[in-house]
Amino acid sequence: MEIRSAAVIGAGVMGSGIAAHIANAGIPVFLLDIVPQDVKDGRGNDRSVVARTAIEKMLKTDPAPFMHKKNARLVTPGNIDDDLEKLATVDWIVEAVVENPAVKSDLYARLDKVRKPGSIVSSNTSTIPLENLIEGQSDRFAQDFLITHFFNPPRYMRLLEVVSGPATRAEAVTSLSTFADKRLGKGVVQCKDRPGFIANRIGTYWIQAAINEAMDLGLTVEEADAVVGRPMGIPKTGVFGLVDLVGLDLMPYVSRSLLKTLPPGDPYRDIYREPELFTRMIAEGYTGRKGKGGFYRMNKSGGARVKEAVDLQTGQYRPAGKPSLDSVAAAKGGLRKLVEHPDKGGTYARRVLVGLLSYAAGLVPEIADDITGVDQAMRLGYNWKFGPFELIDQLGADWLADALRAEGKAVPALLETASGKTFYRTENGKLQFLTTEGGYADLVRPEGVLLLSDIKRAGKPIARNASASLWDIGDGVACLEFTGKMNALDSDVMALIRKAVGMIGDGKGDWKALVVHNEGDNFSVGVNLGLALFAVNIALWPQVEQTVQEGQETYKALKYAPFPVVAAPSGMALGGGCEILLHCAAVQAHAETYMGLVEVGVGVIPGWGGCKEMLTRATLNKKRPGGPMPPIAQTFETISLAKVAKSADEARDLMFLRPTDGITMNRDRLLADAKAKALALAADYKPPEPVKLRLPGPTARAALDLAVEGFQLQGKATPHDVTVSSALASVLSGGDTDITVELDEDELLELERTAFMRLVRNSNTVARIEHMLTTGKPLRN
């Protein structure tokens, strides 16, 4: 069954977020909630005010639940008293009401009377077993019912735990899982009907263990987060920062709900505590970021905002410090270096990991059939870089077993099975995992998923240097991968791009197309600023200009290559990373791609053809207003304000993406989709015809300069903003040209290069670059 329409009942944070993300997939969705008592009593006339208010709030929320504001039009507010019958037309109904079995049971009975045959009903519960939810419901309802546990916020968290019961139709599970995968972009993990399912079962244990051990060992919250954060491949929020994010008041609720259903003897029961400090903080409103603060808070001191942290022993706030633990530094040498370090950080890491990883090992196959689902759930649901069994491989299964025996603790059966082995291995170029029986099985990807990591595991690159690699991804398509820090761009990247263009375009092989893609957190954050600053500081101006010209020529070669070049970005594509997208024949972008030309933040303008490409797109846009100034003004605004599209959908509005460029919801499917687009284009591909522009010259520049001066008078532009904007205005207006003269691409590139070099020599630009490298934030000078 194809899902073409949906409904969500419950307009709280989770319910409304789920509805918004269904709308992000282009699916119309009803959002229903109760009729408030005062409205029922006649003191109000908007009976759907709860749902309507939720939609209005989401349009103002940051980070935004909607990928584009227009998607809100697909969400229809309603209420369960007046609008339940409307659900007779929908294919999927999501229940996201309070975690009260009686309330859910009553709602299910009402839904069963109005829904159409074969429609799927799911609950977003994370605490109530499925077998309890369907108790007393009809056989028909039980066949169409399952659990779909989203993680908050639903747009951004990739995990969806799916739980089916013995009576659930296989077709319902398949239809919903396929929809969630392809249309919602979720990593779907099939879970067993056990308390907490997978991610929260393990995650709750991890949080409790990490808090307990920090308090027992006398660590500060900053020290604890420094240890259980990045050294373990966990987000830098660590544990206390995470609790602040989700809310201190939520933790006791989740824990108590879990304790109600956990089997006797579960290790979580042994470690569960409710410290008096936390109880007091919650009572006083210190519930985290949504409250007055949590374990961390921002406080005004002497007119400045100062970050403070709670002292776990006294409960008093104090200025937050930067932890300095030798064990954290040692962790750069691997996880074993961390846990074997003798300082308190090493002891803390060892205690947390030994307990956590043995707990996870003891839960398979109780909560999942194999280890892969557990690892995927923790990576996607808690943003861990490594799942529990990948962490065990870093420590060694035998090391963990010995540590447990040394503490007099039982060794889980699965860990005994892994003795002398690893949980994952590569065999004949394929990734395999250890089964509960002790053998190995191939990790099979879903149909339509192509991962560069699998390609790399199976063979060697066609070509490689220090900053990029070129891979054969089959069917005559090559893939260019950036490999430097944060995928920054440098001369090595440019060299390999030119090599790829020459190799594919020489007509000697069976090559048909090139895809530009990588699996890093970010596609590319642009030029390597550290190298740029080094060259600037020692006044290597010829080298700097050569780098700019080299980038311009390389990107131009991509644009006019005799074969299609398709970029497949995800994460941030900024500065030079955005410019490469502008020069490709097509882009297949992950939905969560954040694009922008942000060079003004470091005191320069786009120098690798970004100004030229954006101006060309705006000029050739058939829907633009007439006259020469509108495209110039539009491009000037986009670049001078360093506008960044916060989704691929928004990137179309800013013209970073064209209407013909594609968007992929599931990141795991991005490379396959890009490859398919490249092959489709290759069938009869012809490079684009060069474009010449007529630009107004000094008159347009004067108009733009006047607008910037107005912003400066209003205090909205700094002195160096004016300098940078004036240089940009000169480029976009065509320099000293006039409307009767045609400018080709090379002339526009020369204007870009000249303006860039003038700005990079400015001491205020150097200050901006240094500040960005030091703080990660732009300097307003």
Side-chain angles (χ1 to χ4, degrees):
M1 181 187 78
E2 185 177 353
I3 295 174
R4 297 188 178 92
S5 59
V8 178
I9 304 177
V13 173
M14 281 302 298
S16 59
I18 293 168
H21 196 51
I22 293 172
N24 289 334
I27 301 295
V29 54
F30 290 104
L31 178 61
L32 310 185
D33 210 299
I34 61 170
V35 179
Q37 193 59 49
D38 61 340
V39 175
K40 282 187 177 183
D41 293 342
R43 293 192 292 273
N45 54 17
D46 186 356
R47 292 173 62 83
S48 301
V49 63
V50 176
R52 200 178 311 279
T53 301
I55 297 169
E56 293 170 356
K57 183 177 180 181
M58 287 194 293
L59 286 169
K60 302 173 184 176
T61 299
D62 187 23
F66 292 110
M67 290 180 172
H68 195 290
K69 289 185 182 297
K70 72 177 188 298
N71 294 342
R73 298 197 294 264
L74 290 170
V75 185
T76 302
N79 67 81
I80 58 175
D81 286 356
D82 305 326
D83 301 311
L84 216 58
E85 288 75 14
K86 294 178 181 178
L87 306 194
T89 63
V90 306
D91 301 311
W92 176 30
I93 302 169
V94 185
E95 170 269 300
V97 302
V98 295
E99 293 288 80
N100 184 320
V103 172
K104 294 178 186 289
S105 180
D106 176 67
L107 177 61
Y108 295 163
R110 295 175 63 188
L111 284 174
D112 206 19
K113 294 176 182 178
V114 299
R115 69 186 184 93
K116 69 178 182 181
S119 63
I120 300 170
V121 181
S122 70
S123 174
N124 186 56
T125 186
S126 62
T127 61
I128 306 173
L130 184 145
E131 62 179 354
N132 294 354
L133 291 174
I134 61 173
E135 189 174 336
Q137 304 299 327
S138 69
D139 291 343
R140 185 182 80 127
F141 185 87
Q143 291 171 1
D144 296 332
F145 183 80
L146 43 84
I147 289 172
T148 49
H149 181 215
F150 288 81
F151 281 67
N152 193 33
R155 169 185 165 182
Y156 301 95
M157 298 304 294
R158 290 185 60 202
L159 177 62
L160 181 70
E161 293 181 320
V162 173
V163 182
S164 57
T168 308
R169 291 184 296 115
E171 183 189 358
V173 178
T174 300
S175 296
L176 192 51
S177 298
T178 300
F179 176 82
D181 171 356
K182 297 181 178 179
R183 300 297 299 275
L184 299 182
K186 296 300 177 186
V188 178
V189 175
Q190 304 292 335
C191 306
K192 296 187 178 180
D193 191 18
R194 297 292 185 271
F197 311 132
I198 295 176
N200 280 349
R201 179 79 173 269
I202 294 173
T204 303
Y205 183 99
W206 167 69
I207 291 171
Q208 187 72 65
I211 289 174
N212 290 356
E213 298 295 353
M215 298 185 78
D216 291 349
L217 290 168
L219 272 74
T220 65
V221 293
E222 303 99 308
E223 289 172 334
D225 286 345
V227 173
V228 298
R230 286 177 169 169
M232 295 183 184
I234 290 169
K236 65 179 181 180
T237 52
V239 62
F240 290 102
L242 175 64
V243 174
D244 274 359
L245 183 63
V246 301
L248 272 71
D249 54 335
L250 180 64
M251 300 313 299
Y253 170 77
V254 171
S255 296
R256 290 169 194 164
S257 298
L258 192 59
L259 288 167
K260 289 178 182 177
T261 53
L262 281 177
D266 188 275
Y268 181 71
R269 295 186 179 278
D270 298 330
I271 69 167
Y272 178 68
R273 303 180 197 169
E274 286 191 36
E276 187 275 333
L277 169 62
F278 299 178
T279 304
R280 187 172 76 246
M281 289 175 66
I282 293 169
E284 294 175 357
Y286 291 96
T287 54
R289 296 188 188 182
K290 66 182 179 181
K292 295 188 291 185
F295 295 110
Y296 299 97
R297 73 174 182 183
M298 297 303 295
N299 194 29
K300 288 186 177 180
S301 177
R305 286 172 60 82
V306 177
K307 186 176 183 180
E308 296 182 333
V310 161
D311 186 306
L312 294 175
Q313 308 306 315
T314 67
Q316 301 301 309
Y317 281 99
R318 51 166 178 72
K322 188 173 182 179
S324 178
L325 292 169
D326 291 342
S327 53
V328 172
K332 294 177 181 178
L335 200 57
R336 283 277 288 272
K337 295 289 186 181
L338 173 66
V339 299
E340 292 178 347
H341 198 279
D343 75 1
K344 62 180 178 180
T347 302
Y348 176 57
R350 184 166 57 255
R351 287 190 185 182
V352 172
L353 282 176
V354 168
L356 167 69
L357 299 180
S358 63
Y359 185 63
L363 290 175
V364 178
E366 178 193 342
I367 60 174
D369 287 332
D370 57 58
I371 64 170
T372 62
V374 173
D375 281 346
Q376 185 181 16
M378 298 312 297
R379 288 195 305 267
L380 300 184
Y382 278 73
N383 276 337
W384 290 8
K385 187 175 182 180
F386 311 105
F389 295 95
E390 292 168 313
L391 289 171
I392 294 175
D393 276 351
Q394 292 181 37
L395 292 173
D398 291 335
W399 181 94
L400 179 58
D402 289 343
L404 288 168
R405 294 187 189 102
E407 296 178 12
K409 296 178 180 178
V411 177
L414 185 58
L415 200 55
E416 295 278 17
T417 300
S419 180
K421 303 176 182 177
T422 56
F423 280 102
Y424 293 95
R425 72 177 188 183
T426 298
E427 191 74 10
N428 297 322
K430 291 186 176 181
L431 182 62
Q432 296 184 329
F433 65 92
L434 186 68
T435 68
T436 54
E437 291 79 22
Y440 283 93
D442 289 345
L443 183 60
V444 180
R445 307 293 184 190
E447 185 179 354
V449 170
L450 175 65
L451 299 183
L452 188 57
S453 54
D454 288 342
I455 298 290
K456 292 162 68 173
R457 194 177 286 111
K460 295 182 179 180
I462 304 165
R464 167 185 283 163
N465 62 30
S467 300
S469 299
L470 194 64
W471 299 90
D472 182 351
I473 58 173
D475 302 309
V477 181
C479 179
L480 178 76
E481 174 197 27
F482 309 142
T483 59
K485 186 177 181 180
M486 292 192 75
N487 292 326
L489 306 173
D490 56 22
S491 294
D492 281 339
V493 172
M494 299 303 164
L496 200 61
I497 291 175
R498 292 193 298 274
K499 182 171 184 175
V501 171
M503 180 193 77
I504 300 173
D506 65 7
K508 296 179 180 179
D510 295 326
W511 298 107
K512 301 174 184 176
L514 175 67
V515 170
V516 184
H517 170 76
N518 63 74
E519 292 176 355
D521 291 337
N522 298 302
F523 177 72
S524 174
V525 295
V527 70
N528 187 323
L529 280 179
L531 290 177
L533 181 62
F534 174 77
V536 167
N537 278 335
I538 60 175
L540 286 176
W541 305 121
Q543 181 177 326
V544 174
E545 185 163 8
Q546 180 184 347
T547 299
V548 177
Q549 186 166 359
E550 180 184 64
Q552 291 180 339
E553 292 172 352
T554 301
Y555 283 6
K556 186 179 175 184
L558 270 185
K559 180 177 179 179
Y560 292 109
F563 55 86
V565 180
V566 177
S570 57
M572 290 189 289
L574 305 177
C578 181
E579 286 177 294
I580 196 171
L581 305 181
L582 297 175
H583 286 82
C584 290
V587 177
Q588 184 71 33
H590 180 233
E592 297 295 353
T593 304
Y594 314 113
M595 305 180 198
L597 297 171
V598 296
E599 286 85 349
V600 296
V602 289
V604 293
I605 64 169
W608 284 342
C611 298
K612 176 254 302 180
E613 287 300 311
M614 291 298 290
L615 183 59
T616 301
R617 289 188 181 191
T619 302
L620 298 181
N621 180 15
K622 295 180 180 179
K623 296 181 180 180
R624 74 171 180 86
M629 276 305 294
I632 295 173
Q634 179 185 356
T635 306
F636 181 79
E637 180 180 327
T638 298
I639 297 176
S640 66
L641 296 180
K643 289 187 176 181
V644 175
K646 295 183 179 179
S647 70
D649 210 353
E650 285 188 6
R652 285 175 169 161
D653 287 352
L654 293 174
M655 302 187 74
F656 296 134
L657 291 182
R658 295 155 291 202
T660 54
D661 290 328
I663 297 176
T664 296
M665 291 292 281
N666 192 326
R667 186 168 177 168
D668 289 347
R669 297 182 175 275
L670 181 59
L671 181 56
D673 288 351
K675 177 183 173 182
K677 181 180 283 289
L679 288 171
L681 289 172
D684 54 357
Y685 184 73
K686 294 180 181 179
E689 292 293 328
V691 174
K692 294 184 178 182
L693 301 180
R694 295 178 183 269
L695 300 171
T699 56
R701 175 179 176 176
L704 296 175
D705 283 344
L706 188 62
V708 174
E709 288 174 12
F711 283 119
Q712 185 181 26
L713 291 173
Q714 298 172 44
K716 296 180 180 178
T718 67
H720 198 47
D721 288 338
V722 175
T723 300
V724 176
S725 295
S726 181
L728 176 63
S730 178
V731 172
L732 298 180
S733 60
D736 294 328
T737 188
D738 65 62
I739 201 70
T740 64
V741 177
E742 285 188 331
L743 297 178
D744 61 25
E745 287 188 50
D746 289 336
E747 290 170 304
L748 290 173
L749 288 173
E750 185 177 354
L751 287 172
E752 269 190 29
R753 190 167 62 250
T754 301
F756 184 97
M757 291 306 300
R758 186 167 66 250
L759 287 170
V760 84
R761 285 181 166 92
N762 189 305
S763 60
N764 288 318
T765 289
V766 176
R768 285 193 176 190
I769 296 174
E770 289 176 338
H771 191 268
M772 179 64 74
L773 283 170
T774 302
T775 69
K777 299 177 182 178
L779 174 66
R780 302 286 292 154
N781 60 347

